Amino acid sequence: MKQNLLLISGKENQSSPDIIKPAEAAFPSQGSLSTWSPFFGAYSGLRAPGPDHDEIENVAKQFGAQVHRRSSEVSKDSSTSLDAIIEFLNYHNEVDIVGNIQATSPCLHPTDLQKVAEMIREEGFDSVFSVVRRHQFRWSEIQKGVREVTEPLNLNPAKRPRRQDWDGELYENGSFYFAKRHLIEMGYLQGGKMAYYEMRAEHSVDIDVDIDWPIAEQRVLRYGYFGKEKLKEIKLLICNIDGCLTNGHIYVSGDQKEIISYDVKDAIGISLLKKSGIEVRLISERACSKQTLSSLKLDCKMEVSVSDKLAVVDEWRKEMGLCWKEVAYLGNEVSDEECLKRVGLSGVPADACSTAQKAVGYICKCNGGRGALREFAEHIFLLMEKVNNSCQK
C-alpha cells in the first residue's frame, strides 16, 4: 500500500499524496457524510475500508478520516476493493450506501459526490458510477489469421464527422463507484437501477503510471479542489535565507569574511515575482553579513538576527496592509514552523527538516539553494492563474 502515498504538486497538507485530493473532496460535503478512509467517501452512513499501512493511516487521520484496518485476508495482492468493502460492512450494520472513491483521481470535487449521493437517496438509483465524454474514433483490432483488415466501430469513414458535430461517447473513468448495501453484499458495485455521473473532462484525470504524474500535477493546480476557502492573490513572499535562498553552507575566507552561494535560477525567480507585483523579503535568525547579502544584488528588504520570525512577518504584513492569506512563506527550519502554519501559502525545500515539512502546503522537489525558490515561485504563479480564472468566472 505504500505506493499510494505520493506527493502531487508538492503539496502535503493540502493535496499532496494522491490519496488526499479525494479526501478533500469528500470531507467538505454536507449532510450526513462521514469518511472512513482517504480512499472513500460516505453518505448516510456510507463508509468504506481504510489503508493497511501506518503512514497512510496517519495522513488519513490528519485530514479527519476514520480508519478501518483491513484484515490480512483482504490485503493480499489478489484482493479487490470489493472484498475489503464487504469485510467493512460486516463490522458496520448501520451502513446502507457505499462510495468507493479511487485514490488516483486527484481532481475530484465535493459537488460531484454530493450530486451522486442525491441520485441514490432521492432518485432511487441502486448504483451510480463516474464517466467522462471522449471524442475518439475506435477501430477493430487486426489479428493474423482471424481479421486481416481493420473496420470502423463507431464511425462511417465516408461521412467522418467533425469533433464539434459529434457528441462523442461515454467512458467509465474509474473515479468513483457508489452502490447500495444490498448490491454490494451480492458481490456487485454496479447493478440494479444504474445511472452514470458525467464528470467534466478537465476533472477526469487518472494516475496509473509514472508518466501520468506531470499531467496530473498541472491538472490539480488548475482544476483541483483546494478547500472551502477561496484562494487569495499572493502579494508578499518571505524567504528564509539559510537553507532556502542558500544551501545552508557557509564558507569563511582567510580574513574571516563570510562567503555564501546561491543559484541563479532562484535569483531569476525573485525577479519574476517582483515583475508580477509580488514583494519579496528575506529573513534569517542568524547574524548574516548584510554586506555579503547586499552583494548578491537581489534588491530585497531583509531582516537578520531575528529571534521571533512570526513577529517580524506580522509587522511586514501589517505594514503592507495585507491579510495572512495574501502572504507566502518559504522556510526550512523549526524556527519557521509558526510562520509556515500562519500564512496563506507555505512551502519548504526538499531537504527541509521534518518539522517544517509537516507544517506546509507545498514541498519542493529542489533542495534549498538549488532552485527551490524558483520552483516555489512557479507554484505561486500557477495558483495565481487559478485565482484569476475563478475571478473571471
Side-chain angles (χ1 to χ4, degrees):
M1 295 297 294
K2 180 64 178 292
Q3 67 271 22
N4 286 315
L5 189 59
L6 296 171
L7 295 175
I8 182 166
S9 299
K11 306 188 70 188
E12 172 119 331
N13 288 343
Q14 247 182 338
S15 65
S16 64
D18 63 343
I19 63 174
I20 292 307
K21 292 308 295 182
E24 286 184 324
F27 294 152
S29 304
Q30 300 300 313
S32 52
L33 171 68
S34 62
T35 305
W36 271 84
S37 86
F39 297 97
F40 303 88
Y43 205 94
S44 185
L46 175 155
R47 304 171 184 178
D52 54 7
H53 189 283
D54 290 340
E55 188 176 355
I56 295 180
E57 178 176 344
N58 291 335
V59 173
K61 287 180 177 179
Q62 286 178 19
F63 281 78
Q66 301 174 72
V67 176
H68 168 77
R69 284 266 181 171
R70 300 178 182 183
S71 70
S72 58
E73 291 300 313
V74 295
S75 299
K76 302 174 182 177
D77 291 339
S78 59
S79 299
T80 65
S81 295
L82 185 59
D83 294 332
I85 294 172
I86 291 174
E87 179 192 68
F88 175 85
L89 290 177
N90 290 334
Y91 288 91
H92 295 277
N93 294 324
E94 76 279 10
V95 173
D96 57 359
I97 304 171
V98 171
N100 179 355
I101 303 173
Q102 296 301 315
T104 53
S105 297
C107 288
L108 188 62
H109 281 237
T111 52
D112 297 324
L113 305 183
Q114 292 167 348
K115 290 176 181 177
V116 170
E118 290 172 2
M119 291 173 70
I120 292 182
R121 300 191 65 196
E122 299 177 13
E123 299 178 37
F125 289 103
D126 295 312
S127 61
V128 181
F129 53 93
S130 59
V131 299
V132 65
R133 189 173 299 276
R134 293 178 181 170
H135 294 75
Q136 297 176 332
F137 296 127
R138 294 180 291 110
W139 294 78
S140 63
E141 185 176 352
I142 295 177
Q143 297 176 318
K144 290 185 177 180
V146 179
R147 185 184 295 112
E148 298 296 335
V149 297
T150 185
E151 296 179 356
L153 298 178
N154 64 346
L155 82 153
N156 179 357
K159 297 181 179 179
R160 186 183 179 92
R162 298 183 304 169
R163 178 186 175 92
Q164 60 265 40
D165 296 329
W166 181 45
D167 291 336
E169 296 180 328
L170 297 176
Y171 286 77
E172 185 177 317
N173 68 353
S175 185
F176 57 77
Y177 300 86
F178 276 57
K180 289 184 177 178
R181 181 190 186 102
H182 75 272
L183 197 64
I184 292 173
E185 290 178 332
M186 292 169 57
Y188 303 102
L189 276 175
Q190 296 167 298
K193 182 181 177 182
M194 292 186 291
Y196 61 78
Y197 179 84
E198 185 176 348
M199 290 180 62
R200 294 169 57 180
E202 60 266 30
H203 292 172
S204 181
V205 56
D206 183 57
I207 301 171
D208 186 37
V209 294
D210 289 346
I211 197 172
D212 294 331
W213 278 96
I215 297 173
E217 288 185 318
Q218 296 303 312
R219 286 283 189 90
V220 166
L221 289 171
R222 285 179 168 82
Y223 306 114
Y225 178 71
F226 284 83
K228 291 181 179 180
E229 295 186 23
K230 291 185 178 180
L231 293 172
K232 286 277 191 178
E233 186 174 357
I234 298 299
K235 296 181 179 179
L236 170 64
L237 168 64
I238 299 165
C239 176
N240 188 39
I241 295 172
D242 298 310
C244 290
L245 175 64
T246 75
N247 61 7
H249 295 174
I250 301 172
Y251 306 93
V252 181
S253 64
D255 55 359
Q256 301 301 303
K257 288 185 178 180
E258 182 179 291
I259 302 172
I260 58 175
S261 65
Y262 72 104
D263 197 308
V264 173
K265 293 194 294 288
D266 292 327
I268 294 174
I270 291 176
S271 177
L272 292 173
L273 287 165
K274 288 182 176 181
K275 288 180 181 179
S276 67
I278 299 174
E279 175 88 4
V280 180
R281 299 188 178 185
L282 306 176
I283 193 169
S284 177
E285 61 186 316
R286 192 174 62 85
C288 305
S289 168
K290 284 194 173 183
Q291 182 179 359
T292 301
L293 293 172
S294 62
S295 67
L296 301 179
K297 298 181 180 180
L298 298 174
D299 192 25
C300 295
K301 183 173 182 178
M302 64 186 73
E303 196 72 38
V304 299
S305 301
V306 177
S307 58
D308 187 344
K309 291 182 178 179
L310 184 61
V312 173
V313 173
D314 192 30
E315 181 181 337
W316 283 345
R317 175 187 68 84
K318 291 176 179 177
E319 172 192 314
M320 295 181 63
L322 306 178
C323 67
W324 282 106
K325 290 290 182 182
E326 296 172 303
V327 180
Y329 192 98
L330 183 67
N332 67 304
E333 273 300 341
V334 174
S335 60
D336 297 309
E337 181 183 9
E338 293 305 315
C339 294
L340 293 168
K341 289 181 177 179
R342 194 69 183 273
V343 297
L345 187 61
S346 58
V348 296
D351 56 350
C353 73
S354 59
T355 299
Q357 289 195 17
K358 291 177 182 178
V360 302
Y362 187 90
I363 300 178
C364 297
K365 295 176 182 177
C366 297
N367 288 339
R370 292 293 181 267
L373 179 51
R374 172 63 183 271
E375 181 185 339
F376 192 51
E378 293 292 345
H379 178 66
I380 292 174
F381 294 146
L382 284 171
L383 289 181
M384 291 309 96
E385 181 181 333
K386 185 177 179 68
V387 171
N388 294 331
N389 289 340
S390 63
C391 289
Q392 291 174 4
K393 291 179 182 179

